[in-house]
Amino acid sequence: MITLHHLLASRSFRIVWLLEEIAVPFELKQYARVDGRAPQEFKKLSPLGKSPVLTDGDLTLFESGAIVEYLVRKYARQMKPSEGEEKALLQYDYWMHDSEGSMMPFLWAVFFLDTGAQKTPFFMRFIIDLFVKGIRSQYLDPEIQSMFKYTDDHLAKNTYFAGDNLSGADIMMSFPLTVAYKRKGSEFEGKYLHIERWLRLIEGRPAYQAALAKVEDKDQFELNLPSH
Amino acid sequence: MITLHHLLASRSFRIVWLLEEIAVPFELKQYARVDGRAPQEFKKLSPLGKSPVLTDGDLTLFESGAIVEYLVRKYARQMKPSEGEEKALLQYDYWMHDSEGSMMPFLWAVFFLDTGAQKTPFFMRFIIDLFVKGIRSQYLDPEIQSMFKYTDDHLAKNTYFAGDNLSGADIMMSFPLTVAYKRKGSEFEGKYLHIERWLRLIEGRPAYQAALAKVEDKDQFELNLPSH
């Protein structure tokens, strides 16, 4: 029996979606955050206490990319291109690693600095805002725009991330793209039309809707983008 | 013919090492940084201009994890556990993704905030230092120590990251661990003896030494840890 431990408002929604896509029965345990962090109960599940944690029989797995590789290998081979499909396989590997290896660190840094600045006492606020604005404008924001442009160009030529079929790479990429549009809507909306087309495509899948129906934090992942 | 484009003091040293391990002939092109960033010449190599970039015939590849998967699949199958070795394969997938997905974002955030603080004009410096110290002590440093402890416990029970043999996971993990010890030596040295054992083990490999001999920035990656 598979159990997915889902920390609300975290990376793990995409694993709920993947489990619905591959139609494997699973139990979903949901954990509310305490002061924005994982509760003690969640931290006992794995040595690092980070979301998501998946158990399958005796196995306990964490690290999103590794969980996707495991579920795809064991239950849904069709969600990874075979070695005969070299081009699709190269795309799969690229986006599987790009999601947490390149895209997320930059989005996370922005979120993290903005949150840190908001928590700063009023008397320090002006200087901290200058510092954060400097880092964002000189470094983070141009990198993010450049990655979104590259992603958009890729989706202009491909239905899904690894070609014509939904794959693990779409599952991995769904988190950074969804949260970017939800949390920073005005910075992105209308700029990357192929990303928006892909977001509407995944949101329209029955398995995505089934996953949304199960989670308590559905408004984090429900997009309702204009259809243009 | 394979060409590796190596930006000095970057993630790509581990790909030089991997190419030496698998004994595939390759051309190494090295690029010095300009004001700490990749030079214009490097940025033309790929749409995102980030290091490393590898070309193999008509193919241009980037994103470290994807490059490792490609080279291992095409030239060195023995460097990824087979599906019959389930435990080793789970470890392989975990550390392949942990390296850039969990370990690097935290190390990078610390490096990035420290560098930002150092560049701050003197009159703002006291407040920025307080801000950075707050984020580090409340959040980043405990996460890093927790990840290093987990990594150390893993290496207490395994010679290499995916069991008894060198694999792509060791290649990926070498960058965060090497730079942590080089850049933040005093915070780490003597605390994680199994990580240090593994660092000495990889540094002792002829292919690692051959890679060091080729790069212009060898002092970034040469460790010379005490042997205890």
Side-chain angles (χ1 to χ4, degrees):
Chain A
M1 182 66 184
I2 290 177
T3 302
L4 179 67
H5 299 274
H6 172 56
L7 177 66
L8 299 190
S10 83
R11 286 165 161 83
S12 68
F13 173 74
R14 61 187 160 188
I15 309 295
V16 186
W17 173 33
L18 174 56
L19 288 164
E20 289 294 332
E21 285 285 349
I22 68 185
V24 172
F26 68 102
E27 185 182 4
L28 181 65
K29 290 199 179 164
Q30 308 196 49
Y31 301 79
R33 289 174 182 260
V34 179
D35 296 330
R37 310 284 287 271
Q40 279 309 315
E41 196 190 353
F42 194 92
K43 292 188 175 174
K44 289 179 193 154
L45 298 170
S46 76
L48 298 172
K50 291 197 283 187
S51 173
V53 174
L54 182 130
T55 62
D56 188 359
D58 293 340
L59 285 177
T60 298
L61 300 170
F62 41 98
E63 188 69 43
S64 302
I67 291 174
V68 171
E69 286 287 0
Y70 170 78
L71 289 172
V72 165
R73 185 166 65 240
K74 190 155 175 191
Y75 300 105
R77 299 242 160 204
Q78 76 283 4
M79 285 188 70
K80 179 173 180 172
S82 69
E83 296 207 12
E85 304 163 280
E86 179 70 7
K87 187 182 163 204
L89 187 52
L90 288 171
Q91 291 175 336
Y92 176 91
D93 280 337
Y94 177 77
W95 296 104
M96 279 295 291
H97 285 278
D98 177 81
S99 169
E100 294 287 337
S102 287
M103 193 68 96
M104 277 309 296
F106 284 88
L107 292 173
W108 173 74
V110 167
F111 173 71
F112 192 66
L113 288 171
D114 285 355
T115 307
Q118 281 157 22
K119 288 186 180 169
T120 301
F122 181 73
F123 76 95
M124 291 165 63
R125 188 67 189 270
F126 177 73
I127 284 177
I128 299 302
D129 281 348
L130 270 183
F131 178 71
V132 169
K133 201 176 161 187
I135 292 184
R136 283 195 56 171
S137 66
Q138 283 171 43
Y139 185 55
L140 296 173
D141 290 349
E143 289 281 352
I144 290 170
Q145 300 295 349
S146 156
M147 285 193 279
F148 270 69
K149 172 75 168 60
Y150 179 68
T151 306
D152 198 60
D153 288 346
H154 178 72
L155 290 173
K157 289 171 285 184
N158 296 276
T159 308
Y160 288 103
F161 273 98
D164 295 333
N165 302 306
L166 184 80
S167 77
D170 298 285
I171 304 291
M172 285 301 286
M173 288 302 295
S174 68
F175 183 71
L177 299 182
T178 307
V179 295
Y181 273 79
K182 282 300 276 194
R183 294 193 188 161
K184 301 272 160 197
S186 58
E187 289 176 36
F188 295 101
E189 263 171 48
K191 280 183 85 169
Y192 305 106
L193 297 182
H194 305 289
I195 293 177
E196 293 187 18
R197 187 267 309 156
W198 176 88
L199 284 168
R200 286 190 300 270
L201 178 65
I202 63 166
E203 199 182 31
R205 293 182 70 96
Y208 193 99
Q209 288 297 322
L212 270 189
K214 285 192 178 172
V215 298
E216 287 164 27
D217 50 346
K218 49 175 81 21
D219 64 337
Q220 291 270 338
F221 305 104
E222 208 165 20
L223 284 154
N224 302 316
L225 284 163
S227 61
H228 294 291
Chain B
M1 181 66 183
I2 290 177
T3 302
L4 179 67
H5 298 272
H6 172 57
L7 177 66
L8 299 190
S10 84
R11 286 165 161 82
S12 69
F13 173 73
R14 61 188 160 188
I15 309 294
V16 187
W17 174 33
L18 174 56
L19 288 164
E20 289 294 332
E21 284 286 348
I22 67 184
V24 172
F26 67 102
E27 185 181 5
L28 181 66
K29 290 199 179 165
Q30 307 195 50
Y31 300 79
R33 288 173 183 262
V34 179
D35 296 329
R37 310 285 286 271
Q40 279 308 317
E41 198 189 350
F42 194 93
K43 292 187 176 176
K44 287 180 196 155
L45 297 171
S46 75
L48 298 173
K50 291 198 283 188
S51 172
V53 174
L54 182 131
T55 62
D56 188 0
D58 293 340
L59 284 177
T60 298
L61 300 169
F62 42 98
E63 188 68 45
S64 302
I67 291 174
V68 171
E69 287 287 0
Y70 171 78
L71 289 172
V72 165
R73 185 166 65 238
K74 189 153 176 192
Y75 300 105
R77 300 243 160 202
Q78 76 283 4
M79 286 188 70
K80 179 172 182 172
S82 69
E83 296 207 11
E85 305 163 282
E86 179 70 6
K87 187 182 163 205
L89 187 53
L90 288 172
Q91 292 175 338
Y92 176 91
D93 281 335
Y94 177 77
W95 296 104
M96 280 295 291
H97 284 277
D98 177 81
S99 170
E100 294 287 337
S102 287
M103 193 68 96
M104 277 310 295
F106 285 88
L107 292 173
W108 173 75
V110 167
F111 173 72
F112 192 65
L113 287 172
D114 285 355
T115 307
Q118 282 156 22
K119 287 186 182 168
T120 303
F122 181 73
F123 76 96
M124 290 164 64
R125 187 67 188 270
F126 176 73
I127 284 177
I128 299 303
D129 282 347
L130 271 183
F131 178 71
V132 170
K133 202 177 160 185
I135 292 186
R136 283 195 56 171
S137 65
Q138 282 171 45
Y139 184 56
L140 296 174
D141 290 349
E143 290 279 354
I144 290 171
Q145 299 295 347
S146 157
M147 284 192 280
F148 270 70
K149 172 76 169 60
Y150 179 70
T151 307
D152 198 59
D153 289 347
H154 178 73
L155 290 173
K157 289 171 283 184
N158 296 277
T159 308
Y160 288 103
F161 273 97
D164 296 333
N165 302 307
L166 184 81
S167 76
D170 298 285
I171 303 291
M172 285 301 286
M173 287 301 295
S174 68
F175 183 71
L177 299 182
T178 308
V179 294
Y181 272 78
K182 283 300 277 194
R183 294 194 188 161
K184 301 269 162 199
S186 58
E187 288 175 36
F188 294 101
E189 262 172 48
K191 280 182 86 170
Y192 305 106
L193 297 182
H194 305 289
I195 293 176
E196 293 188 16
R197 188 267 309 155
W198 176 87
L199 285 168
R200 287 190 298 271
L201 178 65
I202 63 165
E203 199 182 32
R205 293 182 69 96
Y208 193 99
Q209 288 297 324
L212 270 188
K214 284 191 179 172
V215 298
E216 286 163 28
D217 51 347
K218 47 176 87 11
D219 64 337
Q220 292 271 337
F221 305 104
E222 206 164 21
L223 284 155
N224 302 315
L225 284 163
S227 61
H228 293 291

